[in-house]
Amino acid sequence: MSELKRELQEFSRAANELKAVWNKMSDLDRKESLKEYPFAEDFPKVANDIKKWNDAVHEL
């Protein structure tokens, strides 16, 4: 496995961990977090997109 694929796999794992934390947060905590860490899209979608990217690279 190339270094890039390993790093992408780690990035994907980290995104999944962040998604799990996000899903446990209250709506108020999410709202406050978005002020500090704005995302262009809903965070679970961002995490899912990272996973899709990782899966696509591993299929090459």
Side-chain angles (χ1 to χ4, degrees), residues 31-44:
K31 185 177 178 180
E32 291 299 315
S33 293
L34 286 173
K35 289 178 183 175
E36 292 181 54
Y37 307 101
F39 297 102
E41 298 184 35
D42 187 46
F43 182 74

Side-chain angles (χ1 to χ4, degrees), residues 1-59:
M1 181 184 304
S2 74
E3 185 177 351
L4 178 61
K5 284 185 178 181
R6 266 193 306 279
E7 292 298 326
L8 181 55
Q9 192 172 33
E10 286 297 316
F11 187 51
S12 183
R13 278 193 211 114
N16 285 334
E17 290 174 12
L18 286 170
K19 183 178 166 185
V21 169
W22 182 264
N23 288 336
K24 292 178 186 176
M25 293 170 68
S26 70
D27 288 339
L28 180 59
D29 287 340
R30 288 179 185 176
K31 185 177 178 180
E32 291 299 315
S33 293
L34 286 173
K35 289 178 183 175
E36 292 181 54
Y37 307 101
F39 297 102
E41 298 184 35
D42 187 46
F43 182 74
K45 182 180 181 331
V46 172
N48 288 338
D49 287 348
I50 292 169
K51 182 185 181 315
K52 287 178 190 174
W53 180 32
N54 180 55
D55 292 346
V57 168
H58 278 56
E59 290 176 6

